[in-house]
Amino acid sequence: GIHDNLYHRIVAMDDGKTQFFLVSTDILVFPPYFYDEFCKELEKETGIEAGQVWWTVTHTHSAPEVSSPDRYTHVKNPEYTKWVKDALIEGLREARSKLEPARLGVGIGTSLANINRREMTADGQYQLGANPEGPVDRQIGLIRLERLDGSLVALIANYAMHATVLGEQNSLISADAPGLVAEY
């Protein structure tokens, strides 16, 4: 079943010399060869080169695998993998077509939403759990893109957290906490 939708979130930027695309996809991971194959296909279809695209993932554990690397034993799903690639290429085309004059601003803030997951047990061993006293990166980096009239185009956030908020009992497709934050 589906808890919430998965997305490619794409921002296109152009300084008059170079177009740049920042992408965040609601998947767990992709292997380097998958990225390389995708970039070749993207350049062939759109002229967008690999160096123009920064592609990251939200690392949700509640999304289907794409192009399962050999180190995993998950069943490969070539139809889903192709759909992810095709949807991203179409999304990049769409983002490029919607370029408009804008201003860019940057900032940093603090968020207390994450926690160290290395919990020390009574016998001094570590296990996955909650360690509120453990080190974490609480900084949130922000990029604001706004139209010349000041209206918001996009607010991009970078924040360190592991997308496992729904827990191992969840078996529904979800973008987990990063998806909820991005939707907000």
Side-chain angles (χ1 to χ4, degrees):
I2 297 173
H3 184 275
D4 54 271
N5 292 325
L6 304 177
Y7 293 95
H8 293 296
R9 291 178 182 85
I10 304 166
V11 174
M13 292 177 265
D14 188 333
D15 67 358
K17 296 178 189 171
T18 305
Q19 287 186 347
F20 172 73
F21 302 86
L22 183 60
V23 179
S24 176
T25 300
D26 294 326
I27 56 177
L28 178 68
V29 66
F30 54 78
Y33 72 82
F34 176 78
Y35 176 80
D36 293 342
E37 288 172 6
F38 169 77
C39 287
K40 286 177 189 170
E41 191 173 329
L42 177 66
E43 185 171 2
K44 181 180 174 187
E45 291 195 28
T46 67
I48 298 170
E49 298 176 10
Q52 294 174 262
V53 179
W54 284 6
W55 186 13
T56 189
V57 299
T58 59
H59 193 73
T60 177
H61 286 248
S62 299
E65 293 279 340
V66 294
S67 189
S68 295
D70 293 336
R71 66 184 177 154
Y72 297 127
T73 58
H74 301 147
V75 175
K76 294 185 186 211
N77 185 336
E79 294 84 15
Y80 179 73
T81 297
K82 181 179 180 340
W83 179 82
V84 167
K85 281 184 187 180
D86 291 348
L88 181 51
I89 289 172
E90 183 55 36
L92 287 161
R93 281 188 178 119
E94 182 180 342
R96 177 190 261 175
S97 75
K98 292 182 176 180
L99 281 165
E100 62 181 299
R103 291 187 292 249
L104 182 144
V106 296
I108 57 171
T110 301
S111 176
L112 305 177
N114 59 1
I115 190 168
N116 187 297
R117 300 179 332 129
R118 303 295 183 242
E119 180 178 19
M120 187 185 298
T121 60
D123 63 358
Q125 301 297 310
Y126 283 93
Q127 65 184 21
L128 283 181
N131 180 358
E133 303 304 319
V136 293
D137 181 357
R138 301 250 187 236
Q139 180 173 296
I140 183 168
L142 300 167
I143 299 173
R144 178 184 170 92
L145 296 171
E146 62 183 40
R147 291 176 188 85
L148 299 181
D149 67 5
S151 63
L152 185 66
V153 174
L155 183 61
I156 303 163
N158 181 37
Y159 186 65
M161 65 183 298
H162 204 163
T164 56
V165 174
L166 292 174
E168 61 187 43
Q169 71 279 3
N170 176 61
S171 61
L172 301 176
I173 291 173
S174 174
D176 209 302
L180 185 65
V181 170
E183 202 172 305
Y184 175 77

